[in-house]
Amino acid sequence: MGVKMSKYKNKDGIELNYSGNDIQSTLTKEVVEEAIKILNMYDRSCKISMGMAMMNTKKFLKTNFDIGTKSERSDEWRINQFNRNRGIEDQVNTIKELENKTNEISNS
């Protein structure tokens, strides 16, 4: 048996209601379903693959819901997270290096 999830409510106690079949509700449901598909497309035995699926899902949702960059982590934070369990020879110093290294890892 799975964990029972309650619907999200904003600070005013309002929750989403997408039970209708209007075009906006239908399209929104399709976008969320596609995001779930993207999130599930990874090699379950590979943490890097899982991270890429998560990153692709976030990018997909931000693009489709026009969510700005205000919630994104800083470049410094991303670099520190990438470097934290790596040897000095595998660490990066810039976002460009991080992107190159991530692409290199995902293509190997």
Side-chain angles (χ1 to χ4, degrees):
M1 202 186 288
V3 175
K4 180 169 173 36
M5 297 293 291
S6 58
K7 289 182 89 172
Y8 171 81
K9 293 181 182 180
N10 71 3
K11 64 181 175 42
D12 298 319
I14 300 169
E15 64 184 37
L16 291 172
N17 181 2
Y18 280 97
S19 59
N21 289 326
D22 61 281
I23 190 70
Q24 192 68 36
S25 294
T26 301
L27 184 58
T28 301
K29 288 178 203 175
E30 288 175 10
V31 170
V32 172
E33 287 170 354
E34 187 64 25
I36 292 168
K37 286 179 191 174
I38 294 168
L39 190 57
N40 284 320
M41 289 191 297
Y42 71 94
D43 177 354
R44 304 247 187 257
S45 63
C46 178
K47 288 183 179 181
I48 294 170
S49 178
M50 180 176 60
M52 292 298 290
M54 291 170 60
M55 184 174 65
N56 289 338
T57 301
K58 284 173 44 177
K59 185 175 181 181
F60 176 82
L61 289 170
K62 286 179 179 183
T63 299
N64 282 282
F65 287 103
D66 293 321
I67 298 171
T69 59
K70 66 179 181 181
S71 64
E72 288 187 10
R73 306 284 186 167
S74 70
D75 290 350
E76 182 181 4
W77 183 90
R78 292 176 59 208
I79 291 168
N80 287 337
Q81 291 301 303
F82 182 86
N83 288 339
R84 70 181 174 158
N85 292 319
R86 289 185 166 73
I88 193 76
E89 67 280 358
D90 293 323
Q91 293 186 0
V92 297
N93 296 307
T94 66
I95 285 298
K96 186 66 178 164
E97 288 177 16
L98 174 64
E99 290 169 353
N100 290 342
K101 193 70 119 170
T102 304
N103 288 335
E104 186 181 302
I105 291 168
S106 66
N107 291 327
S108 60

